[in-house]
Amino acid sequence: MEAGDGWLIRIRPPLGRLDRAQAMALHHAVTRYGNGRIDLTNRAALQIRGVAEANWQPLIELLVATSLVDPAPEREARRNVMLNPDWREGDDTHRIAIALLERIDEVPGLPAKMGVAIDAGVAPALSNASADFRFERGANGGLILRADGRAEGIPVEAGTEVDALVALARWFVATGGPISGRMARHAAPPPIMGTAVAPLPPRSRGETIRAADGLFRGASFGQIEAGELASCLSDSDVRAIRLTPWRGLILEGARPAAHPFADPDDPLLRVDACPGSPDCPQATVATRPLALRLAPHVEGHLHVSGCGKGCACPGAADVVLTGRHGRFDLARQARAGAPPLREGLAPDQISALFGAS
Ligand code: SF4
């Protein structure tokens, strides 16, 4: 898509994993054709920004040649599938993902933002990540398929998961779901396809990361420089890179001593902040310096937004600071631009409020 700083290319590597050759190709792509930085999205995808019009075609050819992008645009658009990053080869998450990717053409066309979370580990880990169809572990230990926004899902037998997904997606389309755009906003009661089962209580992000086959590499504000990617790959123990929706990567096979890793519970990984001023012309405030200062002092999810558009986080955060006329408005449990509790605060006033002076 076109953005203020050139073309923005979103990449969803199959299985949310890049082998070493793909990761090297990504490094080349972002240094040769992009702005030298990789964005990690909260749907476990990658973004390259700042691509010039003349570079768009060779970049796509490179990504197709390395199987990071499907050569068929329609298949690519349907491949909005996120895996719990702690999957192992042959487990339920991996098995369902392979089956789904093979039959992705059977899933009916859905609104662009809709996606599938394959989260069939010991307990759900992606409950807070954006998805519309969720494969999860049910409270009875079996697999369920849950329509987002519903408390319970339908049980699915091994080998029938894709059939169940296709049936649920067809029901969504047939009952007018595309008008609402997302499953959670579609009010129709889901079809009865067996006795409904609740999912197991979710596992924390930290527990899931620690169970994964590799080490976590956090990325403040969800950005990683091409040089940092190269430094990860300079460790020959790193077999592959897995994406997560948690502002960080998992380096498969990495040894702890070889990498300065962010703690998965680092407060900075609970912070969203758009580029703000001076990088964005809409901003009248600098966002990231304030976010860095406040991160250790704010409980829960902090969002610092340069304006009411809220590009870095479309949802609600525990604390949200929205820039306006060179100052910030403060709200809680809200989206950027929501009616504030306090208006027109300077950064120093905010730091004092949170004990960060
Ligand atoms: S939220 Fe506003 S200031 Fe921040 S990047 Fe988006 S448009 Fe720019």
Side-chain angles (χ1 to χ4, degrees):
M1 67 189 79
E2 215 167 352
D5 55 354
W7 287 89
L8 181 159
I9 310 291
R10 186 169 298 139
I11 306 168
R12 295 185 286 242
L15 305 180
R17 180 180 188 269
L18 298 95
D19 62 24
R20 286 187 67 90
Q22 290 172 316
M24 291 306 295
L26 174 69
H27 177 266
H28 174 67
V30 79
T31 48
R32 170 74 180 79
Y33 302 118
N35 64 4
R37 289 192 294 271
I38 302 155
D39 291 340
L40 312 179
T41 80
N42 57 14
R43 301 181 88 175
L46 302 166
Q47 288 179 173
I48 301 177
R49 301 188 70 112
V51 178
E53 178 75 36
N55 287 334
W56 182 87
Q57 192 62 35
L59 171 56
I60 296 297
E61 284 168 11
L62 171 67
L63 297 173
V64 168
T66 49
S67 303
L68 286 170
V69 165
D70 196 291
E74 193 161 300
R75 278 179 64 83
E76 176 63 32
R78 285 169 198 238
R79 225 169 34 78
N80 201 354
V81 179
M82 175 169 40
L83 279 69
N84 180 330
D86 77 357
W87 61 267
R88 308 288 166 122
E89 190 154 349
D91 71 8
D92 284 333
T93 296
H94 181 243
R95 184 179 55 73
I96 296 168
I98 295 282
L100 176 56
L101 293 178
E102 280 172 3
R103 295 176 56 190
I104 199 78
D105 293 332
E106 295 177 37
V107 179
L110 295 166
K113 286 191 187 306
M114 290 188 69
V116 181
I118 308 182
D119 191 12
V122 294
L126 302 177
S127 312
N128 291 328
S130 175
D132 300 88
F133 305 90
R134 299 178 184 277
F135 288 106
E136 296 171 325
R137 186 69 51 192
N140 59 2
L143 288 173
I144 61 169
L145 171 60
R146 184 166 66 86
D148 191 46
R150 278 64 172 188
E152 297 175 324
I154 50 170
V156 282
E157 294 294 326
T160 67
E161 295 94 346
V162 179
D163 298 328
L165 175 67
V166 170
L168 195 58
R170 286 185 180 152
W171 161 83
F172 178 81
V173 172
T175 53
I179 295 166
S180 53
R182 296 299 301 265
M183 181 67 85
R185 294 200 292 258
H186 184 44
I192 296 169
M193 296 162 72
T195 308
V197 177
L200 277 173
R203 258 199 327 181
S204 72
R205 177 178 70 182
E207 284 176 299
T208 305
I209 287 170
R210 281 184 268 274
D213 178 20
L215 292 175
F216 185 68
R217 170 67 162 81
S220 310
F221 309 125
Q223 274 193 338
I224 185 162
E225 301 283 336
E228 294 175 71
L229 177 63
S231 133
C232 294
L233 293 170
S234 68
D235 176 357
S236 58
D237 285 344
V238 174
R239 297 187 302 268
I241 288 177
R242 291 193 189 189
L243 307 183
T244 79
W246 304 309
R247 300 180 193 83
L249 305 166
I250 289 172
L251 308 182
E252 264 186 48
R255 287 169 293 118
H259 296 271
F261 294 106
D263 175 351
D265 298 320
D266 187 324
L268 251 188
L269 302 179
R270 290 186 268 112
V271 176
D272 285 308
C274 72
S277 177
D279 293 333
C280 175
Q282 313 290 324
T284 58
V285 289
T287 49
R288 291 184 173 169
L290 179 62
L292 286 171
R293 207 151 107 196
L294 294 179
H297 303 277
V298 172
E299 286 281 318
H301 178 187
L302 166 67
H303 180 194
V304 184
S305 185
C307 75
K309 205 168 162 196
C311 297
C313 171
D318 297 306
V319 173
V320 61
L321 293 159
T322 306
R324 191 167 55 85
H325 305 317
R327 296 204 161 217
F328 288 94
D329 293 342
L330 166 67
R332 290 183 185 270
Q333 315 293 341
R335 298 167 186 235
L341 300 169
R342 303 275 303 266
E343 294 182 61
L345 297 169
D348 283 347
Q349 289 176 286
I350 299 166
S351 295
L353 268 177
F354 288 94
S357 315

